[in-house]
Amino acid sequence: PEGARWAYSGCVVEDASGGHEAIYTEHASGLEHQVRRSSADAGRTWSAPVALARAGPPARNRRDPFVFERGGGWWMLLAEPCDWAG
């Protein structure tokens, strides 16, 4: 946790320059959204979180980003929002 924000599941990928990108779900005020942080020193330090607006607006239960490279681009699978019952 960082104050009122909590980090949920996500993944880390290595970019073409050897740096690392962490993409994960951030939970705040009852909603989740995806953020990205970068590290150029093998994960010893990380940039501030940047919201991934293209993943959609904050929503309940939008989480579990899985990022992978395919066909020269980066793709993300993401669980769509829903209200869990039970």
Side-chain angles (χ1 to χ4, degrees):
E2 289 183 318
R5 299 182 324 230
W6 290 73
Y8 284 6
S9 60
C11 63
V12 175
V13 295
E14 187 172 347
D15 64 25
S17 67
H20 292 85
E21 302 287 330
I23 298 90
Y24 62 91
T25 300
E26 184 175 272
H27 175 88
S29 303
L31 299 174
E32 286 87 31
H33 66 279
Q34 283 57 55
V35 297
R36 179 178 60 96
R37 293 179 113 161
S38 301
S39 176
D41 59 7
R44 288 186 290 280
T45 61
W46 292 89
S47 67
V50 175
L52 297 177
R54 291 185 67 186
R60 289 175 40 89
N61 301 316
R62 175 178 279 144
R63 56 172 57 135
D64 306 326
F66 175 72
V67 176
F68 59 98
E69 186 177 17
R70 181 174 177 165
W74 289 96
W75 296 79
M76 180 170 64
L77 298 175
L78 185 62
E80 274 300 304
C82 64
D83 285 319
W84 301 103

